[in-house]
Amino acid sequence: MAKVRHSRFDCSPGCSVEVAIGLIDGKWKSVILFHLLGGTLRFNEIRRQIPGVTQRMLTNQLRELEQDGLVDRKVYAQVPPKVEYSLSPLGRSMEPVLLALKTWGDANIGLYGKPDALRQADVKAA
Amino acid sequence: MAKVRHSRFDCSPGCSVEVAIGLIDGKWKSVILFHLLGGTLRFNEIRRQIPGVTQRMLTNQLRELEQDGLVDRKVYAQVPPKVEYSLSPLGRSMEPVLLALKTWGDANIGLYGKPDALRQADVKAA
DNA sequence: GCCTATAGTGCACAAAAGGATACTGTCATG
DNA sequence: CATGACAGTATCCTTTTGTGCACTATAGGC
């Protein structure tokens, strides 16, 4: 995959923000990380906790998180496959970010998480 | 544009995280917001503070931030155009998120913000 | 014997995001 | 007269992201 999203070191002050956001962007990564805050989960456990994510997407996102060193992937060589995902120390260090995101979301979900009808009205009004 | 990224209200606990991240995803939004924490800025001031962003991208991202109610856009009907961008109260409420991102990035930029050579080595090692 | 669960992979396809470049119109400066 | 600043648009292009479906292999339950 070899994504090189943050190759620069020119870094005006906002650059570190860019680095951080670069690791948790994508529709699902932050949500996956958030669920992993609660402890180790298996592939399908994560899948069930995030309705709407497809297998392929979940695989992709987990692989990227693994490559970026945020999650650990532990494969048990069993016959019904078993793979456990957990936060690496680096991933756990994301906790403040994740919690800030959650807090903000909880406070403001009324504005954006509404059923489509309202969202549409909002769009039209703009 | 009418993006409906978060139309669901099914909301397992991670959903509010998804709402929040949905507003600041994209390569530049969080960086823009971060710079606006420091106060009102004009279009080209932002552009200069974020090397690498193109005019088009900056315009897009600012428009989306405006639509999502995070930034205020004030146009002065002057002859050399003047447009000021500032955080709305809602945008300012993102401050903890932005600061958490910045803090994390500062702490870990050594891992990801390195010049390409090292990044490449890292990728190969994986 | 068939269905389910496990953790994925592979392929085709569509949509969205992002990038490069050129262009707008007006005014001030040189 | 040419240039640049201002705040964008317009157009084209590539890359990334996301969806849907089928498929792998093995074991246990019905």
Side-chain angles (χ1 to χ4, degrees):
Chain A
M1 203 136 288
K3 286 176 312 169
V4 182
R5 271 191 293 233
H6 303 286
S7 49
R8 249 32 112 49
F9 209 64
D10 49 13
C11 288
S12 33
C15 176
S16 44
V17 175
E18 201 185 332
V19 171
I21 198 72
L23 295 177
I24 58 170
D25 70 358
K27 216 170 168 180
W28 308 108
K29 282 189 195 175
S30 54
V31 185
I32 294 169
L33 291 174
F34 175 76
H35 283 296
L36 286 176
L37 277 181
T40 298
L41 290 173
R42 299 179 60 176
F43 186 86
N44 276 353
E45 287 176 330
I46 300 174
R47 194 145 86 96
R48 276 189 289 267
Q49 295 210 32
I50 309 179
V53 74
T54 60
Q55 278 180 316
R56 203 177 80 90
M57 269 295 104
L58 186 53
T59 305
N60 282 354
Q61 305 275 287
L62 282 169
R63 288 292 134 82
E64 291 184 16
L65 289 170
E66 193 193 352
Q67 273 188 18
D68 287 334
L70 295 172
V71 312
D72 289 330
R73 179 164 177 270
K74 191 167 186 181
V75 182
Y76 294 82
Q78 295 180 355
V79 152
K82 177 175 175 182
V83 181
E84 286 184 346
Y85 292 93
S86 56
L87 290 180
S88 70
L90 188 65
R92 191 151 290 281
S93 75
M94 272 285 188
E95 187 162 2
V97 177
L98 267 4
L99 291 182
L101 242 19
K102 168 91 164 93
T103 302
W104 194 95
D106 280 342
N108 298 100
I109 198 166
L111 296 173
Y112 297 99
K114 285 175 182 169
D116 280 351
L118 272 171
R119 179 74 178 155
Q120 292 305 323
D122 189 274
V123 166
K124 265 176 217 151
Chain B
M1 201 137 287
K3 287 176 315 168
V4 181
R5 270 192 294 234
H6 302 287
S7 50
R8 254 23 120 51
F9 207 66
D10 48 14
C11 288
S12 33
C15 176
S16 45
V17 175
E18 203 186 330
V19 172
I21 199 73
L23 294 176
I24 58 171
D25 70 359
K27 218 170 166 180
W28 308 109
K29 283 191 193 173
S30 55
V31 186
I32 294 169
L33 290 174
F34 176 76
H35 284 296
L36 286 177
L37 277 181
T40 298
L41 291 172
R42 298 179 58 176
F43 186 87
N44 276 352
E45 287 176 330
I46 300 175
R47 193 144 86 97
R48 275 188 291 266
Q49 296 211 33
I50 309 180
V53 74
T54 60
Q55 280 178 316
R56 199 180 79 93
M57 268 296 104
L58 186 51
T59 306
N60 282 354
Q61 305 275 287
L62 283 168
R63 288 292 135 83
E64 291 184 15
L65 289 169
E66 193 194 352
Q67 274 189 17
D68 288 334
L70 295 171
V71 313
D72 289 330
R73 179 164 175 270
K74 191 168 187 181
V75 184
Y76 295 80
Q78 294 182 356
V79 151
K82 176 175 174 183
V83 181
E84 286 183 345
Y85 293 92
S86 56
L87 290 180
S88 69
L90 188 65
R92 190 152 291 279
S93 74
M94 273 284 188
E95 187 161 2
V97 176
L98 267 5
L99 293 182
L101 242 20
K102 168 92 164 91
T103 301
W104 194 94
D106 281 343
N108 300 101
I109 197 166
L111 297 173
Y112 298 99
K114 285 175 182 169
D116 280 350
L118 272 172
R119 180 72 178 153
Q120 291 305 322
D122 189 275
V123 167
K124 265 177 216 148

mmCIF file of all heavy atoms in Angstrom, chain B residues 73-93:
data_model
loop_
_atom_site.group_PDB
_atom_site.id
_atom_site.type_symbol
_atom_site.label_atom_id
_atom_site.label_comp_id
_atom_site.label_asym_id
_atom_site.label_seq_id
_atom_site.Cartn_x
_atom_site.Cartn_y
_atom_site.Cartn_z
ATOM 1 N N ARG B 73 -17.833 32.751 7.554
ATOM 2 C CA ARG B 73 -17.189 33.370 6.400
ATOM 3 C C ARG B 73 -17.781 34.753 6.242
ATOM 4 O O ARG B 73 -18.992 34.913 6.105
ATOM 5 C CB ARG B 73 -17.464 32.514 5.161
ATOM 6 C CG ARG B 73 -16.877 33.032 3.892
ATOM 7 C CD ARG B 73 -16.866 31.930 2.846
ATOM 8 N NE ARG B 73 -16.405 32.415 1.572
ATOM 9 C CZ ARG B 73 -17.200 32.929 0.629
ATOM 10 N NH1 ARG B 73 -18.489 33.031 0.842
ATOM 11 N NH2 ARG B 73 -16.695 33.348 -0.513
ATOM 12 N N LYS B 74 -16.925 35.740 6.257
ATOM 13 C CA LYS B 74 -17.397 37.121 6.184
ATOM 14 C C LYS B 74 -16.787 37.785 4.969
ATOM 15 O O LYS B 74 -15.564 37.943 4.888
ATOM 16 C CB LYS B 74 -16.984 37.852 7.464
ATOM 17 C CG LYS B 74 -17.645 39.195 7.627
ATOM 18 C CD LYS B 74 -17.423 39.724 9.041
ATOM 19 C CE LYS B 74 -18.226 41.006 9.288
ATOM 20 N NZ LYS B 74 -17.999 41.526 10.644
ATOM 21 N N VAL B 75 -17.632 38.165 4.047
ATOM 22 C CA VAL B 75 -17.153 38.785 2.813
ATOM 23 C C VAL B 75 -17.310 40.293 2.901
ATOM 24 O O VAL B 75 -18.399 40.795 3.191
ATOM 25 C CB VAL B 75 -17.966 38.285 1.603
ATOM 26 C CG1 VAL B 75 -17.407 38.863 0.316
ATOM 27 C CG2 VAL B 75 -17.981 36.764 1.558
ATOM 28 N N TYR B 76 -16.227 40.989 2.646
ATOM 29 C CA TYR B 76 -16.298 42.442 2.593
ATOM 30 C C TYR B 76 -16.454 42.848 1.141
ATOM 31 O O TYR B 76 -15.640 42.439 0.306
ATOM 32 C CB TYR B 76 -15.040 43.070 3.180
ATOM 33 C CG TYR B 76 -14.888 42.800 4.657
ATOM 34 C CD1 TYR B 76 -14.382 41.586 5.113
ATOM 35 C CD2 TYR B 76 -15.287 43.757 5.593
ATOM 36 C CE1 TYR B 76 -14.265 41.334 6.481
ATOM 37 C CE2 TYR B 76 -15.167 43.507 6.952
ATOM 38 C CZ TYR B 76 -14.657 42.289 7.387
ATOM 39 O OH TYR B 76 -14.550 42.039 8.728
ATOM 40 N N ALA B 77 -17.465 43.650 0.862
ATOM 41 C CA ALA B 77 -17.724 44.028 -0.524
ATOM 42 C C ALA B 77 -16.737 45.107 -0.941
ATOM 43 O O ALA B 77 -17.103 46.234 -1.228
ATOM 44 C CB ALA B 77 -19.164 44.498 -0.681
ATOM 45 N N GLN B 78 -15.487 44.734 -0.958
ATOM 46 C CA GLN B 78 -14.443 45.680 -1.329
ATOM 47 C C GLN B 78 -13.920 45.334 -2.700
ATOM 48 O O GLN B 78 -14.137 44.245 -3.205
ATOM 49 C CB GLN B 78 -13.291 45.590 -0.346
ATOM 50 C CG GLN B 78 -13.644 46.031 1.048
ATOM 51 C CD GLN B 78 -12.459 45.962 1.960
ATOM 52 O OE1 GLN B 78 -11.391 45.502 1.554
ATOM 53 N NE2 GLN B 78 -12.617 46.431 3.180
ATOM 54 N N VAL B 79 -13.164 46.254 -3.192
ATOM 55 C CA VAL B 79 -12.704 46.062 -4.552
ATOM 56 C C VAL B 79 -11.529 45.103 -4.675
ATOM 57 O O VAL B 79 -11.599 44.188 -5.476
ATOM 58 C CB VAL B 79 -12.424 47.420 -5.201
ATOM 59 C CG1 VAL B 79 -11.347 47.324 -6.239
ATOM 60 C CG2 VAL B 79 -13.715 47.926 -5.810
ATOM 61 N N PRO B 80 -10.504 45.188 -3.901
ATOM 62 C CA PRO B 80 -9.681 43.987 -3.811
ATOM 63 C C PRO B 80 -10.409 43.108 -2.807
ATOM 64 O O PRO B 80 -10.583 43.514 -1.664
ATOM 65 C CB PRO B 80 -8.347 44.476 -3.239
ATOM 66 C CG PRO B 80 -8.497 45.959 -3.075
ATOM 67 C CD PRO B 80 -9.954 46.274 -3.104
ATOM 68 N N PRO B 81 -10.885 41.982 -3.239
ATOM 69 C CA PRO B 81 -11.777 41.199 -2.381
ATOM 70 C C PRO B 81 -11.155 40.948 -1.027
ATOM 71 O O PRO B 81 -9.943 40.812 -0.892
ATOM 72 C CB PRO B 81 -11.940 39.871 -3.139
ATOM 73 C CG PRO B 81 -11.410 40.089 -4.495
ATOM 74 C CD PRO B 81 -10.516 41.278 -4.455
ATOM 75 N N LYS B 82 -11.993 40.865 -0.037
ATOM 76 C CA LYS B 82 -11.514 40.538 1.304
ATOM 77 C C LYS B 82 -12.518 39.613 1.961
ATOM 78 O O LYS B 82 -13.698 39.930 2.066
ATOM 79 C CB LYS B 82 -11.357 41.817 2.125
ATOM 80 C CG LYS B 82 -10.944 41.552 3.555
ATOM 81 C CD LYS B 82 -10.678 42.866 4.300
ATOM 82 C CE LYS B 82 -10.402 42.601 5.770
ATOM 83 N NZ LYS B 82 -10.201 43.853 6.524
ATOM 84 N N VAL B 83 -12.037 38.460 2.346
ATOM 85 C CA VAL B 83 -12.905 37.484 2.994
ATOM 86 C C VAL B 83 -12.205 37.010 4.254
ATOM 87 O O VAL B 83 -11.041 36.633 4.207
ATOM 88 C CB VAL B 83 -13.177 36.282 2.068
ATOM 89 C CG1 VAL B 83 -14.088 35.286 2.746
ATOM 90 C CG2 VAL B 83 -13.780 36.755 0.762
ATOM 91 N N GLU B 84 -12.925 37.054 5.333
ATOM 92 C CA GLU B 84 -12.338 36.610 6.588
ATOM 93 C C GLU B 84 -12.993 35.327 7.076
ATOM 94 O O GLU B 84 -14.220 35.191 7.036
ATOM 95 C CB GLU B 84 -12.511 37.688 7.661
ATOM 96 C CG GLU B 84 -11.591 38.868 7.487
ATOM 97 C CD GLU B 84 -11.749 39.857 8.617
ATOM 98 O OE1 GLU B 84 -12.744 39.775 9.374
ATOM 99 O OE2 GLU B 84 -10.879 40.741 8.758
ATOM 100 N N TYR B 85 -12.156 34.436 7.536
ATOM 101 C CA TYR B 85 -12.663 33.194 8.101
ATOM 102 C C TYR B 85 -12.373 33.155 9.586
ATOM 103 O O TYR B 85 -11.265 33.492 10.015
ATOM 104 C CB TYR B 85 -11.998 32.000 7.425
ATOM 105 C CG TYR B 85 -12.391 31.862 5.977
ATOM 106 C CD1 TYR B 85 -11.642 32.448 4.969
ATOM 107 C CD2 TYR B 85 -13.539 31.153 5.634
ATOM 108 C CE1 TYR B 85 -12.018 32.327 3.641
ATOM 109 C CE2 TYR B 85 -13.916 31.027 4.314
ATOM 110 C CZ TYR B 85 -13.154 31.622 3.319
ATOM 111 O OH TYR B 85 -13.532 31.498 2.018
ATOM 112 N N SER B 86 -13.377 32.722 10.328
ATOM 113 C CA SER B 86 -13.156 32.576 11.763
ATOM 114 C C SER B 86 -13.966 31.388 12.264
ATOM 115 O O SER B 86 -14.879 30.911 11.595
ATOM 116 C CB SER B 86 -13.588 33.845 12.492
ATOM 117 O OG SER B 86 -14.934 34.136 12.177
ATOM 118 N N LEU B 87 -13.605 30.917 13.434
ATOM 119 C CA LEU B 87 -14.341 29.801 14.012
ATOM 120 C C LEU B 87 -15.692 30.281 14.523
ATOM 121 O O LEU B 87 -15.792 31.313 15.166
ATOM 122 C CB LEU B 87 -13.553 29.208 15.181
ATOM 123 C CG LEU B 87 -12.274 28.457 14.826
ATOM 124 C CD1 LEU B 87 -11.630 27.946 16.094
ATOM 125 C CD2 LEU B 87 -12.566 27.317 13.880
ATOM 126 N N SER B 88 -16.713 29.527 14.250
ATOM 127 C CA SER B 88 -17.999 29.763 14.884
ATOM 128 C C SER B 88 -17.913 29.204 16.301
ATOM 129 O O SER B 88 -16.945 28.529 16.641
ATOM 130 C CB SER B 88 -19.078 29.016 14.116
ATOM 131 O OG SER B 88 -18.898 27.625 14.309
ATOM 132 N N PRO B 89 -18.885 29.495 17.113
ATOM 133 C CA PRO B 89 -18.876 28.895 18.467
ATOM 134 C C PRO B 89 -18.776 27.364 18.371
ATOM 135 O O PRO B 89 -18.022 26.755 19.130
ATOM 136 C CB PRO B 89 -20.232 29.317 19.034
ATOM 137 C CG PRO B 89 -20.567 30.580 18.325
ATOM 138 C CD PRO B 89 -20.003 30.450 16.949
ATOM 139 N N LEU B 90 -19.487 26.797 17.439
ATOM 140 C CA LEU B 90 -19.417 25.351 17.265
ATOM 141 C C LEU B 90 -18.004 24.915 16.897
ATOM 142 O O LEU B 90 -17.475 23.934 17.418
ATOM 143 C CB LEU B 90 -20.399 24.903 16.173
ATOM 144 C CG LEU B 90 -20.561 23.403 16.009
ATOM 145 C CD1 LEU B 90 -21.191 22.780 17.246
ATOM 146 C CD2 LEU B 90 -21.403 23.080 14.776
ATOM 147 N N GLY B 91 -17.403 25.685 16.009
ATOM 148 C CA GLY B 91 -16.034 25.379 15.630
ATOM 149 C C GLY B 91 -15.093 25.488 16.822
ATOM 150 O O GLY B 91 -14.206 24.653 17.004
ATOM 151 N N ARG B 92 -15.327 26.502 17.608
ATOM 152 C CA ARG B 92 -14.459 26.677 18.769
ATOM 153 C C ARG B 92 -14.641 25.533 19.770
ATOM 154 O O ARG B 92 -13.704 25.151 20.476
ATOM 155 C CB ARG B 92 -14.726 28.035 19.438
ATOM 156 C CG ARG B 92 -13.707 28.393 20.489
ATOM 157 C CD ARG B 92 -13.519 29.894 20.661
ATOM 158 N NE ARG B 92 -12.868 30.518 19.518
ATOM 159 C CZ ARG B 92 -11.553 30.508 19.305
ATOM 160 N NH1 ARG B 92 -10.752 29.879 20.137
ATOM 161 N NH2 ARG B 92 -11.047 31.101 18.252
ATOM 162 N N SER B 93 -15.818 24.956 19.765
ATOM 163 C CA SER B 93 -16.056 23.838 20.683
ATOM 164 C C SER B 93 -15.251 22.611 20.272
ATOM 165 O O SER B 93 -15.154 21.630 21.001
ATOM 166 C CB SER B 93 -17.546 23.494 20.738
ATOM 167 O OG SER B 93 -17.955 22.822 19.559
#
